[in-house]
Amino acid sequence: FYYFAKDWEKLSKNVYDIVPKRQHNLVNQIFSIIRRSFRRFFHAQFYVVAILFAYYSCMLWSIGIDHSLLFGFFSGLLSFIPFIGAVISCFIVIFLSIASLTGTKICVLGMVYGLGQLIEGYILSPKFVGKGTGLHPLWILFAFFAGFKLMGVLGVLISIPVTVMMRDLINFGITNYKSSQLYKQ
């Protein structure tokens, strides 16, 4: 997504070069829909990451983990990766803090990350990502499963923004069709 946003001007210029001039307005509308779809997803996901950063930082600090703010920051960022981010974060914290951990603290860490995953999956993502993108929770689950089946972990990462973009483009096509002369006949 970073490179997609970074090279947007170059990509759009290449499209404009191959599309007839009379269709440039349509291409502008489509590009606007795509940018808006991605923006809505990333704004919603930012709130989830920020809340999880605060949650993990506070919880790690409360159980006595050194550098809890740093670990909380990376745990919040890795929560961007559905399902896998929390597991990776937990293992990183355990690995880097192994000298100061007891068996009890390791169990508590597992519970902290398990609870964080539940909060993210059942409360934060539906509230912020679901409402921010306008996708029903069942569509979000379907997108995750379809993305994983088609492309593995990368598919899970891009499933929601691609689903939002496809939905918005389909709605745009339906709206244009209903306002066309073909539909009115």
Side-chain angles (χ1 to χ4, degrees), residues 1-160:
F1 294 116
Y2 167 74
Y3 293 109
F4 185 72
K6 180 181 163 277
D7 292 336
W8 180 260
E9 293 302 320
K10 189 190 322 182
L11 292 170
S12 60
K13 183 183 179 306
N14 289 340
V15 171
Y16 286 123
D17 287 344
I18 60 173
V19 172
K21 287 197 185 281
R22 68 180 186 277
Q23 298 298 326
H24 281 203
N25 187 34
L26 176 65
V27 171
N28 279 336
Q29 290 175 331
I30 291 171
F31 282 166
S32 175
I33 289 169
I34 291 170
R35 281 194 304 266
R36 205 172 327 121
S37 300
F38 282 126
R39 190 178 316 119
R40 281 197 324 255
F41 169 74
F42 285 113
H43 283 203
Q45 191 64 42
F46 172 78
Y47 290 119
V48 173
V49 167
I51 291 169
L52 287 174
F53 158 61
Y55 164 78
Y56 286 125
S57 295
C58 291
M59 295 303 285
L60 294 174
W61 175 78
S62 70
I63 60 175
I65 301 295
D66 293 335
H67 311 294
S68 58
L69 194 62
L70 182 66
F71 288 140
F73 175 73
F74 283 112
S75 296
L77 278 180
L78 285 175
S79 69
F80 189 81
I81 306 169
F83 312 116
I84 299 167
V87 174
I88 293 171
S89 301
C90 186
F91 282 124
I92 288 172
V93 171
I94 290 172
F95 180 74
L96 294 176
S97 303
I98 196 75
S100 65
L101 292 179
T102 62
T104 306
K105 278 189 180 180
I106 291 174
C107 290
V108 171
L109 269 174
M111 288 189 286
V112 163
Y113 279 92
L115 180 62
Q117 185 64 32
L118 290 173
I119 290 169
E120 188 245 337
Y122 290 105
I123 298 170
L124 297 177
S125 285
K127 179 174 177 63
F128 292 108
V129 177
K131 285 185 181 177
T133 60
L135 284 179
H136 190 275
L138 288 176
W139 277 108
I140 291 175
L141 287 174
F142 174 74
F144 279 146
F145 292 133
F148 184 75
K149 184 68 175 172
L150 292 172
M151 297 176 64
V153 175
L154 177 63
V156 171
L157 280 174
I158 66 172
S159 61
I160 301 303

